[in-house]
Amino acid sequence: MRRRAFLTAAAAGSAAFAFLPRLASAAGPAPLTSMTKDAKPISVEERRARIARLQKGMAERGVGAMIMESGSSLDYFTGVQWHRSERTTAAVIPVKGETVIVTPAFEEPSVRETLAIGGDVRPWDEHESPFARIVGVLKDRSIMGGQIAFESTTRLFIVDGVRDAGAGAYAVVSGDALVKAVRLIKSPAELALMQTANDVTLAALRHLHANTHVGMTPAEIGALMTSATVALGGAPEFGLVLINEASAYPHGSHQKQTLRDGSTILMDVGCTVYGYQSDISRTWVMGQPSAKQRKVWATVKKGQEIALATANLGTPVGAIDDAVRAYYEKEGWGPGFHLPGLSHRTGHGIGLDGHEPPYLVHGDTTPLAPGMCFSDEPGIYIPGEFGIRLEDCWHMTLDGPKLFTPLARSIEDPI
């Protein structure tokens, strides 16, 4: 669950687990050391293998080329990390042959800095049409008509611009299924980066948990989480600090909150390592939990356990959400998505994007397969009082689900 970000992105380093002392010494807090020194970015060979799988799928479906603008899919296939603006930067991946990047001429040196696969870059000047450049690439690859696919997040003005520049010669189709077929299953290299990102976030949470105190504000808590994440070598990606009644609303509240004795503290945070994300939530209480807080916390953890127990190879991912929701309803929450209870899905896919398909939600029929990655976050929210969310990410293996981080132990020892 995400996403009102208080954190700013920082450069990701490389990855290895380092021990993080939990308690401060008499001389002050123990220094935090980087856990990402040995992380390895995705190799050129792996990116090219991804493109080859995409091209194979395109050939099977009669698609002549895939066009994708800046975003996570462009990064996934080419390594190019670039922002979206009114100026088009996009890749043209033909069904045969090398990928071509089209980008503004004055941005070419910057775009080339992250272009991992090499190949042709075709710049366009400010008075020129990027769409004509894209059509020129298609023609150079002997794609004179037929179907061309667009990655699903590509903005409409780009789709329309290419269609118009091609004078109606091309039939535009969705590239969503083609891209998903490649991105859905994570490789060992991707899993390793996600493991490191999760290690960093859990260690930062451990540091935070040991250093929160009465009187702190969400901004102060967030700053402490940010500094710990950076010191540990992660690139802070997002964060939610929900305390007191704000914890009853999954993405927070604008009400001013301060930590006091009995406060519920809900942290939902994540970082990246070479672009791959973590997403962890922990909830605890400042001081002694009430009987109600303790009961709801235990119910949420049981929901997490049920989600994992339901995750079997071939099981439709929506069945995981159904199983958790059925248990919560027996405990008096809901029914369905009604409050007080679980108002959001049980989890989401994760990788280069914090939220990726498939989703652990009623009706998603995608069968579980090795290499799929998800969050497991079945919270319970009581408007006007408090909310509890526990979240850990996991990936599917031939032997069942494998957690990136261990489930929280108890409301007193949640890390």
Side-chain angles (χ1 to χ4, degrees):
M1 178 63 64
R2 311 162 76 103
R3 280 256 150 5
R4 185 172 298 146
F6 64 73
L7 306 179
T8 57
S14 7
F17 191 88
F19 176 69
L20 173 67
R22 177 171 175 186
L23 299 176
S25 67
L32 305 180
T33 58
S34 177
M35 300 167 67
T36 64
K37 291 178 180 177
D38 294 332
K40 294 179 173 58
I42 300 299
S43 68
V44 173
E45 293 74 22
E46 181 162 332
R47 291 187 194 278
R48 288 177 175 165
R50 293 169 176 177
I51 291 173
R53 293 200 303 275
L54 180 66
Q55 290 174 319
K56 182 176 183 292
M58 291 159 58
E60 291 170 350
R61 296 183 182 220
V63 172
M66 172 74 69
I67 298 167
M68 56 183 66
E69 70 160 315
S70 301
S72 63
S73 289
L74 185 66
D75 184 1
Y76 179 86
F77 288 103
T78 72
V80 171
Q81 298 167 13
W82 199 246
H83 57 274
R84 293 188 177 190
S85 74
E86 77 281 7
R87 297 180 175 101
T88 298
T89 291
V92 181
I93 303 177
V95 68
K96 292 181 181 179
E98 294 295 317
T99 297
V100 178
I101 305 296
V102 173
T103 194
F106 71 94
E107 305 285 23
E108 181 182 354
S110 301
V111 168
R112 282 189 181 275
E113 285 182 349
T114 54
L115 176 58
I117 59 170
D120 193 5
V121 177
R122 299 198 184 180
W124 55 276
D125 287 317
E126 292 277 68
H127 69 290
E128 296 176 315
S129 166
F131 315 122
R133 282 284 188 279
I134 290 171
V135 170
V137 173
L138 295 174
K139 291 179 178 179
D140 286 350
R141 293 295 189 268
S142 299
I143 305 165
M144 309 303 291
Q147 294 188 123
I148 57 171
F150 285 82
E151 192 267 348
S152 62
T153 68
T154 302
R155 289 169 294 175
L156 185 59
F157 80 88
I158 297 175
V159 178
D160 285 346
V162 173
R163 184 192 285 117
D164 292 346
Y170 301 102
V172 170
V173 299
S174 172
D176 191 44
L178 290 164
V179 171
K180 281 181 182 177
V182 183
R183 290 189 59 177
L184 198 64
I185 305 301
K186 272 55 178 182
S187 70
E190 292 178 285
L191 295 174
L193 291 172
M194 292 176 70
Q195 182 64 64
T196 302
N198 278 276
D199 290 342
V200 167
T201 297
L202 193 66
L205 277 168
R206 185 176 296 117
H207 178 78
L208 175 72
H209 180 251
N211 290 282
T212 51
H213 57 78
V214 169
M216 292 182 79
T217 65
E220 292 168 332
I221 296 169
L224 181 58
M225 184 70 196
T226 299
S227 62
T229 300
V230 171
L232 290 161
E237 176 69 14
F238 70 95
L240 289 168
V241 183
L242 310 181
I243 63 177
N244 303 326
E245 184 185 345
S247 64
Y249 311 109
H251 283 167
S253 164
H254 290 292
Q255 298 177 37
K256 292 183 179 180
Q257 305 285 346
T258 304
L259 275 187
R260 61 177 185 268
D261 189 54
S263 286
T264 300
I265 305 168
L266 195 164
M267 298 292 302
D268 185 346
V269 288
C271 74
T272 65
V273 175
Y274 286 119
Y276 283 86
Q277 300 206 18
S278 61
D279 193 356
I280 301 176
S281 297
R282 289 293 184 267
T283 307
W284 66 92
V285 173
M286 179 62 63
Q288 287 298 314
S290 67
K292 187 171 186 178
Q293 287 170 323
R294 193 181 298 277
K295 169 66 174 173
V296 175
W297 195 99
T299 302
V300 171
K301 182 177 179 182
K302 180 66 174 177
Q304 275 196 301
E305 294 168 345
I306 288 171
L308 294 170
T310 308
N312 298 306
L313 287 173
T315 296
V317 296
I320 297 174
D321 184 68
D322 294 339
V324 173
R325 216 167 289 280
Y327 166 68
Y328 282 0
E329 289 181 14
K330 288 180 181 177
E331 293 292 306
W333 304 105
F337 290 82
H338 294 286
L339 293 173
L342 174 56
S343 52
H344 58 73
R345 61 199 173 203
T346 294
H348 54 79
I350 186 168
L352 270 181
D353 288 318
H355 288 182
E356 296 183 356
Y359 298 98
L360 307 186
V361 66
H362 175 76
D364 193 323
T365 60
T366 307
L368 274 174
M372 291 182 179
C373 297
F374 300 93
S375 70
D376 176 7
E377 51 173 323
I380 289 177
Y381 308 95
I382 309 170
E385 296 187 46
F386 64 89
I388 304 289
R389 181 161 69 249
L390 301 172
E391 178 181 16
D392 295 273
C393 291
W394 56 279
H395 61 97
M396 196 64 191
T397 76
L398 290 172
D399 298 319
K402 182 178 180 180
L403 287 160
F404 289 107
T405 49
L407 300 183
R409 298 181 184 91
S410 67
I411 195 170
E412 292 88 0
D413 187 13
I415 311 302

